[in-house]
């Protein structure tokens, strides 16, 4: 009887190891595609890989729930030898992940309970859950279900909602101001609302605002630049002729007519 149970246990373990190896190979292949073929990877291909992994995990669950499979929870694993030396056989079985079976590795690989930190967090969550009364818990559940339902509705018909909202915004909100449009058309077509201003620059001949006796407008002036002694200094006097025998000598005085800036030529004159 005992030998039969041992053979059944060995067969179950071999079958479980084989199924786990299939899952590992599928994961390696999927990770390789994600890292190296992400540019050519399509969404249907990703879904196929997820479907493959899901099917393999379901196969493992069926194998564990099979009547012929012994309960692994009743099996106890006891480390017989712990060593600080490298074990080549162990490294080969674990694909170089566990080269040494020592006191540091055994608590992690043979653990049957979660870490102490995880257990403490679970206890805190259990205490907080026990503090909430049934009525408050039911209200929170209803609120969460309502939020999830609204979110699912928005996700199921997002395009219809967006189209309806955009159509309503186009119908209700005007994209122009009629008063501004009418003012612009009147200004361009009929000059309505434009101010009458004189462009900068000199006025054309015959303009009613132009004349020699405008108030504040200076006239022509004669400026005499004085020369030597005995030269005529009065304004409007004749210029003496240049004396012979003195080449290059400037005349005694030079008349220069200077026209000041007229007020009629100022851009802001009226």
């Amino acid at each position: 009887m005992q030998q039969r149970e041992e053979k059944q246990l060995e067969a179950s373990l071999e079958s479980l190891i084989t199924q786990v190896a299939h899952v590992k190979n599928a994961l390696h292949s999927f990770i390789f595609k994600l890292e190296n073929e992400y540019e050519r990877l399509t969404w249907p291909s990703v879904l196929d890989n997820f479907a493959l992994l899901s099917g393999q995990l379901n196969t493992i669950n069926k194998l564990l729930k099979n009547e012929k499979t012994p309960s692994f929870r009743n099996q106890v694993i006891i480390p017989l030898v712990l060593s600080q030396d490298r074990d080549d056989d162990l490294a080969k079985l674990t694909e170089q992940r566990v080269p040494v079976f020592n006191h540091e590795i055994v608590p992690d690989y043979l653990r049957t309970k979660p870490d102490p930190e995880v257990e403490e967090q679970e206890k805190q969550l259990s205490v907080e859950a026990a503090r909430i009364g049934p009525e408050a818990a039911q209200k929170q559940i209803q609120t969460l279900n309502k939020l999830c339902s609204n979110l699912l509705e928005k996700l199921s018909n997002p395009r219809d909602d967006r189209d309806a909202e955009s159509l309503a915004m186009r119908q209700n909100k005007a994209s122009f101001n009629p008063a501004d449009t009418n003012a612009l058309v009147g200004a361009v077509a009929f000059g309505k609302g434009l101010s009458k201003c004189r462009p900068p620059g000199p006025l054309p001949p015959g303009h009613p605002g132009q004349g020699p006796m405008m108030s504040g407008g200076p006239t022509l002036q004669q400026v005499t630049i004085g020369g030597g002694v005995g030269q005529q200094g009065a304004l409007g006097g004749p210029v003496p002729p240049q004396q012979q025998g003195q080449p290059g000598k400037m005349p005694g005085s030079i008349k220069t007519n200077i026209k000041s800036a007229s007020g009629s030529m100022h851009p802001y004159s009226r």
Side-chain angles (χ1 to χ4, degrees), residues 54-124:
S54 177
Q56 292 174 346
L57 293 176
N58 288 331
T59 303
I60 293 176
N61 288 331
K62 291 180 180 179
L63 178 62
L64 294 175
K65 294 179 181 179
N66 193 0
E67 296 179 356
K68 297 182 179 180
T69 303
S71 179
F72 293 104
R73 292 183 178 180
N74 299 330
Q75 306 297 326
V76 180
I77 300 176
I78 300 175
L80 301 178
V81 178
L82 298 178
S83 176
Q84 299 293 337
D85 299 333
R86 177 182 176 83
D87 190 346
D88 295 334
D89 295 335
L90 181 62
K92 184 178 179 180
L93 290 174
T94 58
E95 297 181 354
Q96 306 300 325
R97 289 192 299 270
V98 186
V100 179
F101 199 67
N102 54 16
H103 298 78
E104 183 180 359
I105 291 178
V106 167
D108 294 332
Y109 281 87
L110 300 183
R111 183 185 298 276
T112 57
K113 293 183 179 181
D115 293 338
E117 297 179 356
V118 177
E119 289 184 351
E120 187 65 24
Q121 292 179 0
E122 288 183 354
K123 290 180 180 179
Q124 293 178 0

Side-chain angles (χ1 to χ4, degrees), residues 110-177:
L110 300 183
R111 183 185 298 276
T112 57
K113 293 183 179 181
D115 293 338
E117 297 179 356
V118 177
E119 289 184 351
E120 187 65 24
Q121 292 179 0
E122 288 183 354
K123 290 180 180 179
Q124 293 178 0
L125 294 175
S126 300
V127 171
E128 292 178 0
R131 292 177 181 175
I132 301 175
E135 296 180 357
Q138 189 65 27
K139 289 181 180 180
Q140 292 181 2
I141 292 172
Q142 292 177 358
T143 303
L144 180 60
N145 291 334
K146 186 177 180 180
L147 292 175
C148 293
S149 300
N150 294 334
L151 181 60
L152 290 174
E153 289 179 0
K154 291 182 179 180
L155 292 176
S156 60
N157 297 319
R159 185 173 182 180
D160 298 339
D161 295 341
R162 288 198 302 268
D163 293 343
E165 291 178 359
S166 60
L167 181 61
M169 291 178 63
R170 287 196 299 267
Q171 291 178 354
N172 297 331
K173 185 178 180 181
S175 59
F176 65 96
N177 190 350

